[in-house]
Amino acid sequence: MRALVTRGEPGLRLVDIPEPTTPPGHVKVRVLRAGICGTDLHIDAWDAWAQSAVTPGLTVGHEFCGEIVEVGEGVTDYRVGQLMSGEGHVVCGHCRNCRAGRRHLCIRTSNLGVQRDGAFAELVVLPAANVWMHPGVTLETATPAQLDVFGIYDPFGNAVHTALKFPVIGEDVLVTGAGPIGLMAAMVARHAGARHIVVTDIAPARLALAERLGFRAVDTSATDLRAVQRDLGMTEGFDVALEMSGAPSALVGIIENLNFGGRIAMLGLPSRPIEVDFGKVVSHMLTIQGIYGREMYETWYAMSSMAQTGLDVSPVITDRFAFADWEAAFARARSGAAGKVILDFTEGS
């Protein structure tokens, strides 16, 4: 089968590798769609993080949906032909957090496409416990747009986990970072009942997409957030902030613009340490909560329910490429001019 693998140097390779076996308790899935994540771009660049975290020869990719084609011994809940999305964090099941039901905090998490072979391949194998089914739809009845969205349930889940970490009903929400996950988080906050939502970035293309989605988009390199607050009639600062960019300046700006008792959910992963005014954190009684991945599986239930009640995140998907055209897809994702970029495994197959 074809798979996109890292060779321990800059640049991935599309190669033929043997079809994986299906161990007990696992399922084999024919991949239909896969999303390109920032993690995949780091591995493609083979930067310092990738060199420290990834073993050469690994098949990359962790955002995907597919059709089950084989179930391993002992799997009784799933059958061949069902459509699914995959939870990419494989947990140990035995540590204190796992045994307490806090699987997203597992201390031995193994990540699909990072520590184990991932989904940029025609077939992928994962534990049955990591399957999220899409009931009531089959490959024959699903639309291309549905498959595209199913393919990004992983980052959609990141957005839901972040946006719903604190109550947002009637609150004023600041979202820093207008990438695909940041925009989905803003959409979740709006769906959940937030009042004013302001999305910030410095990339014109991403700000334009935020505006098309109906949000107040602010270029923080040119506009003071305090002026935006005055324009919106806000007098006490934002109530909740969702930090999705990883930019050190974003957290500093958030702290300057939060109300007393404000709450910050941080998904953006900084590339270097951030100097924070903890005097203000203390005196303003702020809460900073780190977010990583999804709560398994409460986040999945939440996002599926919101999708059923009208939340449509498909507008964040701006580009779709055939799997064979992965190089163009990666270039588009790296350009910063796109929203979410999807690889379609059904084209040209």
Side-chain angles (χ1 to χ4, degrees):
M1 69 173 186
R2 295 180 303 166
L4 201 55
V5 304
T6 176
R7 293 299 192 185
E9 60 187 16
L12 301 174
R13 300 289 184 271
L14 185 61
V15 299
D16 286 317
I17 63 173
E19 180 177 322
T21 59
T22 308
H26 288 62
V27 299
K28 183 185 296 184
V29 177
R30 180 166 73 92
V31 177
L32 301 172
R33 298 284 196 278
I36 297 176
C37 173
T39 299
D40 305 317
L41 298 179
H42 283 291
I43 298 174
D44 180 42
W46 200 243
D47 60 16
W49 171 82
Q51 294 174 37
S52 69
V54 182
T55 302
L58 184 92
T59 300
V60 298
H62 58 275
E63 304 175 3
F64 77 101
C65 73
E67 180 184 31
I68 296 175
V69 295
E70 185 175 77
V71 297
E73 181 182 351
V75 176
T76 58
D77 294 333
Y78 306 115
R79 65 180 186 276
V80 170
Q82 290 182 307
L83 285 184
M84 54 75 72
S85 295
E87 165 58 62
H89 292 176
V90 180
V91 301
C92 73
H94 303 292
C95 69
R96 178 180 177 181
N97 283 322
C98 281
R99 289 170 65 87
R102 300 185 295 265
R103 286 177 282 186
H104 62 293
L105 298 175
C106 174
I107 64 173
R108 302 185 187 93
T109 300
S110 174
N111 296 297
L112 209 68
V114 179
Q115 285 87 31
R116 56 173 62 211
D117 285 326
F120 287 166
E122 293 176 311
L123 296 166
V124 62
V125 170
L126 74 164
N130 285 61
V131 169
W132 184 261
M133 295 307 309
H134 298 294
V137 63
T138 65
L139 182 55
E140 289 71 29
T141 62
T143 66
Q146 281 180 305
L147 293 177
D148 288 347
V149 172
F150 292 164
I152 60 167
Y153 257 49
D154 174 296
F156 180 22
N158 291 346
V160 170
H161 188 186
T162 309
L164 300 186
K165 189 62 185 180
F166 301 111
V168 295
I169 298 174
E171 302 285 56
D172 296 328
V173 177
L174 174 62
V175 181
T176 53
I181 301 179
L183 293 176
M184 285 191 285
M187 297 169 80
V188 170
R190 180 169 60 192
H191 190 77
R195 186 175 70 154
H196 298 306
I197 302 173
V198 174
V199 179
T200 69
D201 209 298
I202 58 173
R206 290 185 164 179
L207 290 168
L209 180 55
E211 287 185 342
R212 291 198 298 273
L213 293 175
F215 296 109
R216 179 67 177 265
V218 176
D219 181 347
T220 49
S221 68
T223 303
D224 188 340
L225 277 174
R226 291 184 180 86
V228 176
Q229 292 180 56
R230 290 193 296 270
D231 187 46
L232 293 173
M234 295 170 53
T235 59
E236 297 184 349
F238 290 94
D239 305 297
V240 176
L242 312 177
E243 206 308 278
M244 318 298 281
S245 70
S249 60
L251 181 60
V252 174
I254 284 172
I255 292 173
E256 290 297 320
N257 286 277
L258 277 189
N259 193 5
F260 277 55
R263 292 145 294 175
I264 307 168
M266 287 189 65
L267 181 78
L269 194 61
S271 59
R272 58 181 175 83
I274 302 175
E275 186 173 335
V276 173
D277 182 357
F278 275 99
K280 182 163 287 187
V281 172
V282 173
S283 64
H284 288 199
M285 293 170 283
L286 305 182
T287 299
I288 303 176
Q289 171 69 59
I291 305 290
Y292 186 72
R294 299 144 300 281
E295 290 186 340
M296 295 171 274
Y297 282 86
E298 188 61 27
T299 298
W300 291 81
Y301 283 106
M303 61 180 165
S304 293
S305 296
M306 285 189 288
Q308 291 169 6
T309 55
L311 177 59
D312 178 17
V313 298
S314 62
V316 306
I317 300 171
T318 59
D319 298 87
R320 185 199 297 135
F321 292 82
F323 180 41
D325 297 327
W326 68 271
E327 288 177 294
F330 269 67
R332 179 64 173 163
R334 193 179 293 107
S335 71
K340 196 64 184 177
V341 178
I342 295 285
L343 292 173
D344 184 346
F345 286 71
T346 64
E347 287 188 12
S349 59

